Amino acid sequence: MKIIVPMAGMGKRMRPHTLTVPKPLIPIAGKPIVQRLVEDIARVCGEPVTEVAFIIGRFGAAVEKSLVAIAESVGAKGTIVYQDEALGTAHAILCAKESLSGPLVVAFADTLFKADFTLDSSVPGTIWVQKVEDPRPFGVVKLNEKGEITEFVEKPETFVSDLAIIGIYYFQDGAYLREELQYLLDNDIKDKGEYQLTNALENMKNKGTVFVPGQVTEWLDCGNKDATVHTNQRYLEYLKERGEKLVADSAKITNSVIIEPVYIGENAVITNSVVGPHVSLSANAVVEDSRLANSIVQTAATVRHANVANSMIGNSASVTGQSADLSVGDFNTLRV
């Protein structure tokens, strides 16, 4: 099994946090979004993952090294390919054409999910969906009485279905997918100005491929700061249910109260503070004389004499004397 991960965008809605790193490397419960995604897919695949291909912009050697390490952490080869122009989902996936063969999962790197199933690799294709109140911003599917997908519609302006495609797909035949994606580009077939995966799926369906919907227990979005903080909250609850270890042995906690669930990374220091619930502290973060809840504090950040909630604080940032809902980027200092 292969995993194809398009992640070329920098995430403008997540600024200032994406000024220095791409959005999929922002941590959720102590690990980058894209690492959580790859691990969750590997968990439900039911067979070994042999390759993870990351489709990225020109983010630099450090980012590429970290992505290869994520692939290796699930026992797979890490491949880096580039998408230099944002021309749509079909174009993004086709950038990894050398990896499009055999059974594979395509997963866009701005979403996480909770699931309690094992992938059925005997079907030609599975499209993960979730019911939503407003389907207009999403690609959606229609089903027949057998539960098979009969139609794919990209961002419908009038109601077609409330089953939104969440951005995770299984294909039994990756080479067939590659051919259909290439057909769109060769014939300049676009939808709303871009080459869309849903057009390739529609063509495959019309040629007889049977796609079925896959249902997740929960769909978690990481589109902006508030959504990411909420996803961190839900994911911490999920990890607690699984019984995962969330507090590093090297963390130093002195005269403080920890309200679970909380992730505390390696060598984090908490002194005279109340931390939690739903807080993630990355490695080497420092919290002193503070109250911290429902927040993400990234590597080597410091929070002192502050009351912080519903916030994201970037790598090596410093917050002192604040009582607020904050979004502080990497290496910034905020004092009152």
Side-chain angles (χ1 to χ4, degrees):
M1 184 75 70
K2 298 178 181 179
I3 304 175
I4 312 299
V5 186
M7 51 175 287
M10 281 295 290
K12 292 181 179 179
R13 290 186 299 156
M14 283 290 289
R15 290 181 177 175
H17 301 280
T18 54
L19 291 173
T20 55
V21 297
K23 181 174 67 174
L25 291 184
I26 290 173
I28 293 294
K31 292 182 180 180
I33 294 169
V34 66
Q35 182 171 356
R36 292 288 184 195
L37 177 64
V38 168
E39 289 177 350
D40 286 345
I41 293 171
R43 186 175 291 109
V44 303
C45 272
E47 58 184 88
V49 176
T50 58
E51 180 184 5
V52 183
F54 299 96
I55 303 155
I56 66 173
R58 305 284 173 167
F59 296 148
V63 168
E64 294 177 17
K65 182 178 179 181
S66 66
L67 292 173
V68 170
I70 288 171
E72 291 173 347
S73 73
V74 296
K77 169 191 173 185
T79 301
I80 304 295
V81 296
Y82 302 107
Q83 184 189 25
D84 291 321
E85 292 183 88
L87 298 178
T89 54
H91 174 265
I93 297 165
L94 192 59
C95 289
K97 63 174 65 179
E98 300 301 322
S99 299
L100 299 181
S101 62
L104 56 83
V105 172
V106 173
F108 288 85
D110 58 357
T111 189
L112 292 174
F113 64 93
K114 179 181 178 182
D116 55 4
F117 61 86
T118 299
L119 173 67
D120 182 3
S121 59
S122 68
V123 300
T126 301
I127 315 298
W128 276 270
V129 299
Q130 184 78 318
K131 280 193 175 184
V132 295
E133 292 184 4
D134 182 6
R136 289 175 297 178
F138 307 100
V140 300
V141 302
K142 293 181 68 174
L143 307 179
N144 62 17
E145 64 280 357
K146 298 179 182 179
E148 299 168 345
I149 295 174
T150 60
E151 189 174 353
F152 300 92
V153 182
E154 185 66 28
K155 298 180 181 178
E157 295 180 3
T158 58
F159 183 84
V160 174
S161 165
D162 59 1
L163 291 176
I165 300 170
I166 72 170
I168 304 173
Y169 313 77
Y170 167 72
F171 299 93
Q172 194 177 63
D173 186 351
Y176 180 32
L177 171 65
R178 182 181 68 235
E179 292 171 5
E180 293 298 327
L181 297 174
Q182 189 66 58
Y183 177 82
L184 297 181
L185 271 68
D186 289 346
N187 293 276
D188 199 30
I189 298 172
K190 295 181 179 179
D191 190 344
K192 297 179 173 63
E194 295 185 331
Y195 301 105
Q196 301 289 359
L197 174 59
T198 45
N199 289 123
L201 299 177
E202 185 70 18
N203 289 342
M204 294 167 77
K205 176 187 67 66
N206 291 339
K207 292 177 180 179
T209 301
V210 176
F211 290 102
V212 297
Q215 191 76 37
V216 297
T217 307
E218 189 169 4
W219 178 22
L220 301 169
D221 179 38
C222 299
N224 57 40
K225 186 270 286 185
D226 289 338
T228 303
V229 168
H230 175 71
T231 289
N232 182 70
Q233 171 186 330
R234 297 297 304 137
Y235 212 88
L236 284 168
E237 292 283 357
Y238 180 32
L239 294 177
K240 182 182 177 182
E241 290 173 12
R242 290 209 314 233
E244 292 202 11
K245 180 179 175 63
L246 295 177
V247 179
D249 292 336
S250 61
K252 299 177 182 178
I253 303 170
T254 305
N255 194 32
S256 297
V257 176
I258 307 300
I259 305 173
E260 296 182 346
V262 169
Y263 175 88
I264 303 175
E266 296 289 343
N267 300 308
V269 177
I270 302 172
T271 307
N272 300 326
S273 297
V274 178
V275 174
H278 306 123
V279 171
S280 290
L281 296 179
S282 291
N284 301 303
V286 175
V287 180
E288 294 180 356
D289 302 305
S290 296
R291 175 69 173 92
L292 187 61
N294 197 39
S295 296
I296 299 170
V297 180
Q298 298 185 52
T299 301
T302 61
V303 179
R304 292 187 172 95
H305 310 290
N307 186 353
V308 175
N310 306 313
S311 298
M312 286 182 64
I313 299 172
N315 297 293
S316 300
S318 177
V319 174
T320 303
Q322 280 284 328
S323 179
D325 176 330
L326 301 172
S327 185
V328 182
D330 293 357
F331 302 100
N332 284 299
T333 298
L334 188 59
R335 293 192 181 96
V336 172

